Amino acid sequence: MDKHKLIVDSVVVRFRDKTVLSGGYITSETGMVTGLLGRNGAGKSCMFRALMGGLKVENVMVSIDGKQVDRKIIGRSIKYLPQGRLIPEGMRLHRAFELYGVNYWAFVNRVPKYSRHYDSAIYELSGGEARLAELYLVLMSDAPFYILDEPFTLVDPVNIEEVKALIRERGQDHGIIVTDHNYDAISTVADNLFVISDGYTSPVQSRDDLIRHGYLRP
């Protein structure tokens, strides 16, 4: 297994006179799942959009294996599940899998109920059904790194364990960064944690760090 390391550093995001991030930083490496925590509005999604080139920012540095990455082609190295919809509402589910080069029937073998959704448009699925399909689509795409923004959102409780199992499985030979409001889910899949507060990212060594940064209550 080839080892790779992603470093996202010096992320500065400002909207007019409001500074969202002034020292955004996170790393990911092959064989690890990294969790990113932070309260609403802390800047988690902004950092992801900044590094993927979907947000015009004051500054961001992205490198893989010590080489700076051109954000115009960053999608070749990092597949991204955004907070909102990934697949257009009118697209047929099987067509999305074709475009991503992912085997639809392998997904059905894992979650059999999707056998009836092969020709369904995304708008015909429930929010949780669409989210689970999008998560699988991203994680089974060909890339060394994956970024997942709130993958547990809308997913039925009965499928949460399937989501966690898939993240752990793919995290064995890929680098994954994941954020979600479901702290319990994040803490059980992540090998290491970062937290964003007051515009800066800090590594988390213990629960006390999360309390100090205002993410958890004492």
Side-chain angles (χ1 to χ4, degrees):
M1 178 178 65
D2 293 334
K3 287 278 190 178
H4 300 284
K5 185 167 186 176
L6 167 71
I7 298 177
V8 183
D9 197 5
S10 305
V11 184
V12 179
V13 179
R14 292 192 178 96
F15 298 112
R16 296 184 180 179
D17 58 348
K18 180 182 179 182
T19 299
V20 178
L21 290 171
S22 49
Y25 170 85
I26 198 166
T27 67
S28 177
E29 59 185 270
T30 304
M32 293 192 72
V33 177
T34 298
L36 179 62
L37 303 173
R39 301 181 71 85
N40 284 337
K44 302 182 299 297
S45 294
C46 284
M47 185 156 72
F48 293 159
R49 291 171 59 203
L51 77 95
M52 294 303 299
L55 181 66
K56 187 176 181 180
V57 297
E58 188 169 317
N59 192 67
V60 58
M61 296 177 63
V62 183
S63 67
I64 295 177
D65 301 334
K67 298 179 180 179
Q68 192 150 342
V69 181
D70 183 347
R71 287 192 300 151
K72 294 179 181 178
I73 58 171
I74 201 168
R76 298 178 186 175
S77 300
I78 305 173
K79 298 304 182 186
Y80 172 47
L81 178 71
Q83 187 177 28
R85 179 66 65 234
L86 173 69
I87 306 171
E89 295 286 341
M91 182 175 286
R92 301 291 174 182
L93 194 54
H94 73 87
R95 179 56 178 157
F97 275 68
E98 290 170 3
L99 291 174
Y100 270 74
V102 177
N103 188 316
Y104 185 82
W105 297 109
F107 177 48
V108 171
N109 285 338
R110 189 158 192 144
V111 191
K113 72 174 184 177
Y114 283 85
S115 61
R116 65 178 182 267
H117 291 311
Y118 177 80
D119 203 41
S120 296
I122 288 298
Y123 73 82
E124 297 177 295
L125 305 179
S126 71
E129 288 172 335
R131 196 61 173 167
L132 184 57
E134 290 175 335
L135 172 70
Y136 185 89
L137 198 61
V138 168
L139 283 177
M140 298 307 293
S141 297
D142 184 20
F145 296 99
Y146 306 118
I147 292 178
L148 312 175
D149 193 346
E150 300 198 15
F152 299 101
T153 299
L154 301 178
V155 176
D156 294 337
V158 294
N159 287 320
I160 291 293
E161 289 305 316
E162 175 62 28
V163 172
K164 292 196 290 187
L166 185 58
I167 291 172
R168 289 193 195 101
E169 177 185 311
R170 297 299 284 171
Q172 292 177 12
D173 51 12
H174 296 78
I176 300 178
I177 299 174
V178 57
T179 187
D180 202 278
H181 294 300
N182 189 332
Y183 170 69
D184 290 336
I186 291 290
S187 61
T188 56
V189 299
D191 299 299
N192 62 338
L193 293 170
F194 288 82
V195 62
I196 295 180
S197 66
D198 298 324
Y200 291 87
T201 311
S202 303
V204 175
Q205 304 297 335
S206 68
R207 183 182 176 88
D208 289 341
D209 291 331
L210 294 175
I211 294 172
R212 188 175 71 256
H213 288 290
Y215 180 76
L216 295 179
R217 293 180 179 178

